[in-house]
Amino acid sequence: MACNIVVSTGAGISAESGIHTYRDADGLWTKHDPMEVSHIQGWIKNPQKVLDFKNAQRRLSTEGEYRPNAAHLALTRLQAEWRWGDVMIVTQNIDGLHAAAGSRVLAIHGSIAEKFCTACGHVSPFDADIVLTDPCRSCGKPATTRPHVVMFGEMPFHLDQVEGALRRCGIFAAIGTSDEVAPANQFVQRVRSSETYRINLASLTAGGGWYRHQRIGRATVEVPRWVDELLALRDEPVIPENRGIG
Ligand code: NAD
């Protein structure tokens, strides 16, 4: 019987690559109102304000020359070397650093490197500022292009695949996420096995009971250590189901 792994990552895994998280003391939400710049209702009310924020975020992410760090690279190694089943990496991040590290990844909130047309669905590289009134390069309609990222109030991508993987996995880990954003903060509740890990700078008190193991520390230290431990296992782990999930 296979022992599959699902790893769910959030902004904290990229913090040591220099990309700000949202909710930490220096995070983006201390400077911007998420309802205005990252909510679908904000887009409907004032798309220019959303575009100003997303254009600036894209410029930072492409011009900042951010690189994958030791945590991203350790997960790539886990995906390549884990002998006992599949390793699925699911991320809320839009920064592309898992792919840059060579991992296969499901980016449930999309990518800051792409834009799409709400009229024809055409996806293209987000490689220069989006101008609100510009026509779509594919269908020609004006004012329909937006970043290919999921805003609050919208349905994330790939959730069917993630749900199936969670139900089949033997080991689950949530890395660098505040567990405040649904549905990713509920993934741990969908896991049938008992081996659930949380790796984060800060411990979670409310809701922490879903995690059997909490490892407190920097992702660049704790993730490679966790991966080394898993890859050192000589035998396939036998993990009992202990959840009564229907
Ligand atoms: P969040 O900002 O809510 O929480 C970040 C978490 O990371 C916190 O729990 C914090 O304790 C932890 N953390 C910070 N530095 C860490 C480190 N060095 N090592 C380990 N843990 C660390 O982020 P979230 O939970 O991912 O929130 C989800 C939203 O944030 C999503 O909508 C996502 O799209 C967005 N986001 C993405 C990026 C990115 O792509 N890099 C950056 C900021 C926000």
Side-chain angles (χ1 to χ4, degrees), residues 10-12 16 22-24 92-95 109 176-178 200 219:
E16 290 166 82
Y22 277 178
R23 288 175 188 74
D24 292 323
Q92 296 169 77
N93 295 344
I94 56 176
D95 57 32
H109 289 172
T177 170
S178 60
N200 201 295

Side-chain angles (χ1 to χ4, degrees), residues 21-192:
T21 62
Y22 277 178
R23 288 175 188 74
D24 292 323
D26 58 351
L28 286 166
W29 293 155
T30 60
K31 303 179 189 89
H32 303 273
D33 179 352
M35 288 303 288
E36 289 182 357
V37 298
S38 228
H39 196 290
I40 188 63
Q41 293 303 332
W43 171 256
I44 291 163
K45 268 192 214 140
N46 187 348
Q48 188 59 57
K49 189 156 196 170
V50 175
L51 282 185
D52 288 345
F53 177 73
K54 295 293 177 193
N55 281 333
Q57 213 180 13
R58 181 207 64 84
R59 268 183 258 127
L60 268 178
S61 82
T62 51
E63 290 159 16
E65 297 184 352
Y66 300 113
R67 302 262 179 275
N69 63 45
H72 299 101
L73 294 169
L75 293 181
T76 303
R77 198 156 51 84
L78 182 64
Q79 212 168 39
E81 296 178 21
W82 179 246
R83 289 176 291 159
W84 316 110
D86 293 329
V87 178
M88 177 183 277
I89 300 172
V90 183
T91 191
Q92 296 169 77
N93 295 344
I94 56 176
D95 57 32
L97 289 185
H98 284 297
S103 289
R104 283 171 279 113
V105 60
L106 295 180
I108 62 170
H109 289 172
S111 164
I112 193 69
E114 290 176 343
K115 59 185 178 180
F116 81 104
C117 170
T118 53
C120 71
H122 181 69
V123 176
S124 56
F126 182 6
D127 48 11
D129 282 5
I130 298 173
V131 176
L132 188 60
T133 48
D134 273 359
C136 164
R137 279 184 221 162
S138 178
C139 72
K141 283 208 176 128
T144 54
T145 302
R146 55 164 276 188
H148 199 206
V149 296
V150 173
M151 297 189 210
F152 292 113
E154 294 186 302
M155 182 70 92
F157 303 127
H158 312 300
L159 290 184
D160 283 355
Q161 261 173 285
V162 176
E163 173 75 15
L166 289 171
R167 283 168 171 269
R168 289 190 304 274
C169 82
I171 298 173
F172 172 80
I175 300 171
T177 170
S178 60
D179 276 301
E180 287 195 22
V181 178
N185 62 353
Q186 290 152 17
F187 288 167
V188 64
Q189 301 173 22
R190 313 300 297 163
V191 176
R192 282 175 175 273

